[in-house]
Amino acid sequence: MIYTLSPSDRNGVEGLGVTMAFVFDCSASDPLDPTVVDLAARKMVEKWRMLAGRLEWNSEVSFLPDVRGALLTTRVAPQRDRWCLQIPDDVTLPAGYVTHSFSHSHSDYPLEIPAFTASSATVIARPPIVLFRHPSTPQHAGAYAKSKAPLVAIHVTTLSNRSDVALLGISVPHTLVDAIGMGMIAKALDAELGGLEWAAPDLPSDADERNWLEVSISESLKFQAGQPEVEDLIMRDFTPATWWTKLAFLANLAWEYTWHRTEIKIITLGSSVLGNIVESAKREVRTASGGDEYVSTADVLVAWLLKVKPKFF
């Protein structure tokens, strides 16, 4: 089966990989067994058949999207060169089929982890990415396609100087998976590790050729019907992917890292701290709007991070 990805998957994200990192609290009676993780990952991919696919660059398929729905009167030119996902449609995967890549390493990195409690909030330095992603793991979609690499890469690191923790990283190509998808993969792997039941998302049917970006925007327009400023409200979040905007982005990134010496750090929030922040904000919105407005947990956390960033960093 061949599933074509949308044109937006060529807009920068094709050159990026995504890695989700976990630090496990282990004990002598409950260690993180790399062999068990490897087996759980295979079971996950076998069940979630999309993850068993391979990225391909396909010049034979065409796609004519109206990516902005009713917002524009002009349509986007046909996209003939685009990323596709080749998914094996066998009932069971062929013998020897590589479902995922798995690696296990040992390190003497001096990882320092503060004691976490439900009421703690701490800023720590980000550990090196090599602890969570093997150096051979592809990043660019082109590297996945050229090497026919599995979409899911699992890396486990055990520390020679700390037997009470183990590190695990899940890496995927960003052209296929975003943060929400990463969360779904993490939950699926966790379910397999815990022996729990879980359901893999359904693949779209062959007859379903809708542009889901257009569908999503059209549904948003229905909620905003009758408001002439709706186009400005939606389109203000779109940045044209021109050479100028890309160069401006890279220049700003270089400025932050060289002049301001930006460091990547991690904020850890205890469960009660997180709950208080989110519920307090949601309560204020409900009170101010009379219950007509809603904010998600992600909305609250992004706004909170922007407010506290100067204090933490």
Side-chain angles (χ1 to χ4, degrees), residues 29-40:
S29 60
D30 187 26
L32 183 67
D33 188 340
T35 304
V36 173
V37 175
D38 188 15
L39 179 60

Side-chain angles (χ1 to χ4, degrees), residues 9-131:
D9 294 310
R10 293 183 59 185
N11 191 18
V13 295
E14 64 181 344
L16 302 175
V18 181
T19 298
M20 181 175 286
F22 299 88
V23 178
F24 285 84
D25 183 5
C26 301
S27 62
S29 60
D30 187 26
L32 183 67
D33 188 340
T35 304
V36 173
V37 175
D38 188 15
L39 179 60
R42 177 172 180 81
K43 290 181 177 179
M44 174 188 70
V45 175
E46 287 178 340
K47 186 173 183 179
W48 191 347
R49 187 54 62 87
M50 185 203 76
L51 296 181
R54 297 291 190 269
L55 277 175
E56 292 184 354
W57 183 249
N58 197 319
S59 299
E60 300 302 321
V61 297
S62 61
F63 184 66
L64 184 61
D66 184 358
V67 296
R68 299 180 185 179
L71 299 177
L72 293 180
T73 56
T74 58
R75 294 174 68 84
V76 179
Q79 304 283 328
R80 296 204 66 85
D81 298 327
R82 56 190 304 222
W83 291 111
C84 298
L85 188 62
Q86 177 74 50
I87 303 175
D89 53 4
D90 308 82
V91 177
T92 58
L93 293 174
Y97 188 88
V98 180
T99 56
H100 66 291
S101 63
F102 179 83
S103 51
H104 176 214
S105 65
H106 300 272
S107 174
D108 57 0
Y109 179 79
L111 183 67
E112 296 183 6
I113 303 177
F116 297 134
T117 66
S119 58
S120 66
T122 311
V123 177
I124 61 177
R126 189 189 73 172
I129 191 63
V130 71
L131 296 178

Side-chain angles (χ1 to χ4, degrees), residues 272-305:
S272 62
V273 175
L274 179 62
N276 290 337
I277 292 173
V278 173
E279 290 306 316
S280 175
K282 289 187 174 184
R283 186 167 53 251
E284 290 181 15
V285 171
R286 285 195 299 267
T287 301
S289 66
D292 293 334
E293 299 292 339
Y294 168 81
V295 291
S296 67
T297 299
D299 294 332
V300 175
L301 291 179
V302 170
W304 175 83
L305 181 62

Side-chain angles (χ1 to χ4, degrees), residues 45-242:
V45 175
E46 287 178 340
K47 186 173 183 179
W48 191 347
R49 187 54 62 87
M50 185 203 76
L51 296 181
R54 297 291 190 269
L55 277 175
E56 292 184 354
W57 183 249
N58 197 319
S59 299
E60 300 302 321
V61 297
S62 61
F63 184 66
L64 184 61
D66 184 358
V67 296
R68 299 180 185 179
L71 299 177
L72 293 180
T73 56
T74 58
R75 294 174 68 84
V76 179
Q79 304 283 328
R80 296 204 66 85
D81 298 327
R82 56 190 304 222
W83 291 111
C84 298
L85 188 62
Q86 177 74 50
I87 303 175
D89 53 4
D90 308 82
V91 177
T92 58
L93 293 174
Y97 188 88
V98 180
T99 56
H100 66 291
S101 63
F102 179 83
S103 51
H104 176 214
S105 65
H106 300 272
S107 174
D108 57 0
Y109 179 79
L111 183 67
E112 296 183 6
I113 303 177
F116 297 134
T117 66
S119 58
S120 66
T122 311
V123 177
I124 61 177
R126 189 189 73 172
I129 191 63
V130 71
L131 296 178
F132 304 96
R133 185 180 68 209
H134 193 273
S136 65
T137 303
Q139 294 298 295
H140 195 285
Y144 277 93
K146 183 177 181 180
S147 63
K148 300 295 182 183
L151 300 177
V152 178
I154 308 292
H155 184 67
V156 174
T157 298
T158 51
L159 300 175
S160 57
N161 56 348
R162 294 198 60 169
S163 59
D164 59 328
V165 297
L167 313 180
L168 183 147
I170 306 173
S171 300
V172 292
H174 194 12
T175 192
L176 182 68
V177 181
D178 59 8
I180 295 176
M182 282 295 291
M184 296 170 66
I185 293 174
K187 286 186 177 181
L189 182 60
D190 181 61
E192 286 294 345
L193 287 171
L196 305 175
E197 291 294 326
W198 65 282
D202 294 329
L203 290 171
S205 66
D206 293 338
D208 191 354
E209 298 180 353
R210 287 175 289 180
N211 177 2
W212 285 103
L213 180 59
E214 179 179 347
V215 171
S216 177
I217 293 178
S218 297
E219 291 177 351
S220 298
L221 287 172
K222 292 178 183 178
F223 287 107
Q224 300 289 341
Q227 299 187 31
E229 67 275 14
V230 62
E231 180 172 341
D232 292 335
L233 289 174
I234 296 179
M235 295 306 300
R236 68 181 181 184
D237 293 327
F238 284 82
T239 300
T242 64

Side-chain angles (χ1 to χ4, degrees), residues 247-259:
L247 288 174
F249 171 76
L250 293 175
N252 181 71
L253 193 64
W255 171 264
E256 293 292 339
Y257 273 90
T258 56
W259 183 258

